[in-house]
Amino acid sequence: MKRAVMTAMLLFPSWVFAESIYVNDQVSVGIYQGIANQEPLLKRVTTGIVLQVLERRDDFIRVREPGGVEGWVEAEFMTLSVPAVLQLKAARADLEKARAELARLKPALIEAQALAKESDTALAREKSLTQDLAGRLEQRMTPDTMAGPEPERSDSSDGSNLLWIVISFAMLGIGFMSGVIWLRENNRRKLGGRYLKI
């Protein structure tokens, strides 16, 4: 197990396993060459800069800043949590994204609201028509109307009745005449071609 850890430490540089810390909400912090503020100042870093931890000793931490400068900083000015300045920047960026998304979606929302209003109007109209048709159907299904409407009388019915009477008498007359002719012809055949005088 120790051999595996040693091999990993030799193959991978220390910065692969290093944790990251931030300069806390102070304005600026100095990176010094040694463990003490009396050592030469290598660089000043401001709030929000991410430093890579290389080593810890008492109240000091050996770090590497993004530009590659390595030195010692006081641990009391460091924090593992993201400083409020960076959190505020991230929150502002998120807010701007949300505003842009809202502006992009606002026309679609207005269109959807208009469609919903049109749908509500159409639905109310359909409901009113359905109620009207149901009322009409209910009126038709009442016992008074189930017997059916009375047949309408027309003034022309008297004239058509007279016509049927005339046609009936004409048919009766044609039938009587046909019967007489048939009887006469039948008797003539029986009498050998002579007509019977009546």
Side-chain angles (χ1 to χ4, degrees):
M1 179 72 175
K2 287 183 179 181
R3 184 181 258 175
V5 172
M6 292 297 284
T7 306
M9 290 179 78
L10 290 174
L11 292 175
F12 299 105
S14 62
W15 56 267
V16 171
F17 298 108
E19 63 179 313
S20 295
I21 57 171
Y22 298 89
V23 174
N24 68 8
D25 292 326
Q26 299 293 322
V27 176
S28 68
V29 174
I31 299 178
Y32 297 94
Q33 191 170 0
I35 303 178
N37 291 342
Q38 293 83 15
E39 297 287 331
L41 177 68
L42 300 174
K43 188 171 186 176
R44 285 212 165 267
V45 289
T46 56
T47 302
I49 299 294
V50 181
L51 302 175
Q52 191 175 22
V53 176
L54 301 176
E55 183 181 345
R56 290 179 183 267
R57 195 179 295 167
D58 297 327
D59 293 335
F60 288 89
I61 304 171
R62 190 166 156 256
V63 295
R64 181 185 298 126
E65 61 91 39
V69 175
E70 292 182 13
W72 294 87
V73 293
E74 291 183 70
E76 68 177 304
F77 298 119
M78 299 294 119
T79 179
L80 291 172
S81 59
V82 179
V85 172
L86 293 182
Q87 291 178 15
L88 182 61
K89 281 183 186 178
R92 285 181 180 162
D94 290 343
L95 180 62
E96 288 304 315
K97 284 180 188 176
R99 284 180 179 161
E101 186 69 13
L102 181 62
R104 186 182 70 80
L105 293 176
K106 192 169 184 178
L109 176 63
I110 292 170
E111 184 179 342
Q113 287 173 338
L115 283 172
K117 191 174 181 181
E118 287 176 23
S119 297
D120 288 345
T121 304
L123 184 62
R125 189 170 51 244
E126 290 296 323
K127 188 175 181 182
S128 174
L129 284 172
T130 303
Q131 288 174 347
D132 184 43
L133 288 173
R136 288 183 185 180
L137 183 60
E138 190 174 318
Q139 284 178 350
R140 288 184 179 220
M141 297 300 282
T142 57
D144 296 341
T145 57
M146 298 257 319
E150 289 184 18
E152 295 181 10
R153 294 186 178 184
S154 63
D155 296 336
S156 63
S157 64
D158 296 337
S160 64
N161 288 341
L162 183 63
L163 179 64
W164 282 109
I165 291 171
V166 171
I167 291 173
S168 298
F169 278 111
M171 294 295 282
L172 189 59
I174 291 170
F176 180 74
M177 289 301 288
S178 298
V180 169
I181 292 171
W182 177 80
L183 187 59
R184 187 174 179 198
E185 287 297 317
N186 196 18
N187 284 337
R188 187 178 64 90
R189 269 188 261 134
K190 286 181 183 175
L191 294 173
R194 294 189 197 151
Y195 285 108
L196 179 65
K197 293 191 179 184
I198 303 175

